[in-house]
Amino acid sequence: TMMQWKAACALALLTGLVGLGCPLGPLSGGRLSGEVEPAPVDWLFVNEVDNCQVETRPSDPHSVNVWCAGVGSHPYLPSSMILGPKDPSEREWVRNVLDDPEVRLRVGRVVYELQALRLEPGEEYDAARSALESKYELDPAERDADREIWIFRLEAR
C-alpha cells in the first residue's frame, strides 16, 4: 500500500542519516562529519543555535544532540535538564565522558576537538546553569527536584 511504501522510505532515509554518523533527534549517531577547526576564544556564538552535537568515545564514536550555552571562553553542556533519566550517569554520552573526557563538538557544520570537565557546584556551575536556563526558557521554580543536573565545561585539548 501507499502507507507502507511511505513508511519504508522514511525508515530508509532515517537509517541512511544515522549511518552517516549524524545523530537524528533522540537517536544517537557515530563519528561527526564537518570541517575541524581550532577552538575559538569566545563561545558566545553557540547561543545562536538550538542544539549542538557532541561525539564521545573516540575508539567507537557515539554522538548525540545536546543543549549547549556559551559563557565567555567556554561552551557548557548539561546532562539533562527536563527529559530522560534523572540520574545523569544513566545517559550513555555522560558515561563515555567520565571514561574518556576527549570529545568533539559540532556547532553547525564546524567540529571542535575538545575535552569535557564536569563542574562541581559553585560559581561557575551556577553561571553556566543560569545561561542554559535563560537560553532554553526554563523556570528554575518549576524544576523537578529529583532531577540531578551535571554540567560539563568544554575546553581545548
Side-chain angles (χ1 to χ4, degrees):
T1 68
M2 184 61 119
M3 185 69 121
Q4 290 171 322
W5 184 83
K6 285 181 180 179
C9 287
L11 183 60
L13 176 63
L14 179 66
T15 303
L17 288 172
V18 172
L20 292 175
C22 305
L24 185 63
L27 301 175
S28 62
R31 185 165 177 80
L32 293 173
S33 61
E35 189 70 31
V36 177
E37 292 187 7
V41 174
D42 186 329
W43 284 90
L44 293 178
F45 70 96
V46 301
N47 296 326
E48 304 302 317
V49 300
D50 288 337
N51 296 301
C52 297
Q53 292 78 43
V54 65
E55 174 192 310
T56 61
R57 198 176 57 211
S59 62
D60 181 18
H62 172 82
S63 60
V64 293
N65 287 303
V66 291
W67 282 1
C68 55
V71 181
S73 60
H74 297 288
Y76 294 88
L77 309 179
S79 59
S80 171
M81 296 185 82
I82 59 170
L83 297 173
K86 294 181 182 192
D87 177 351
S89 67
E90 291 181 21
R91 290 193 170 270
E92 185 173 355
W93 78 265
V94 171
R95 288 192 310 271
N96 292 344
V97 167
L98 296 177
D99 288 343
D100 183 343
E102 285 194 3
V103 300
R104 291 169 24 113
L105 183 72
R106 183 170 62 193
V107 182
R109 296 175 185 261
V110 179
V111 175
Y112 304 97
E113 296 180 332
L114 307 166
Q115 61 183 354
L117 174 70
R118 181 179 163 203
L119 298 180
E120 295 298 326
E123 192 174 320
E124 184 179 13
Y125 176 95
D126 293 343
R129 180 155 172 179
S130 177
L132 288 156
E133 288 171 343
S134 176
K135 178 179 176 179
Y136 294 101
E137 300 177 352
L138 302 176
D139 182 351
E142 295 177 10
R143 172 169 140 48
D144 178 354
D146 293 334
R147 178 173 298 283
E148 187 174 359
I149 299 170
W150 291 356
I151 297 178
F152 294 89
R153 176 180 70 219
L154 302 185
E155 50 194 42
R157 290 187 199 166

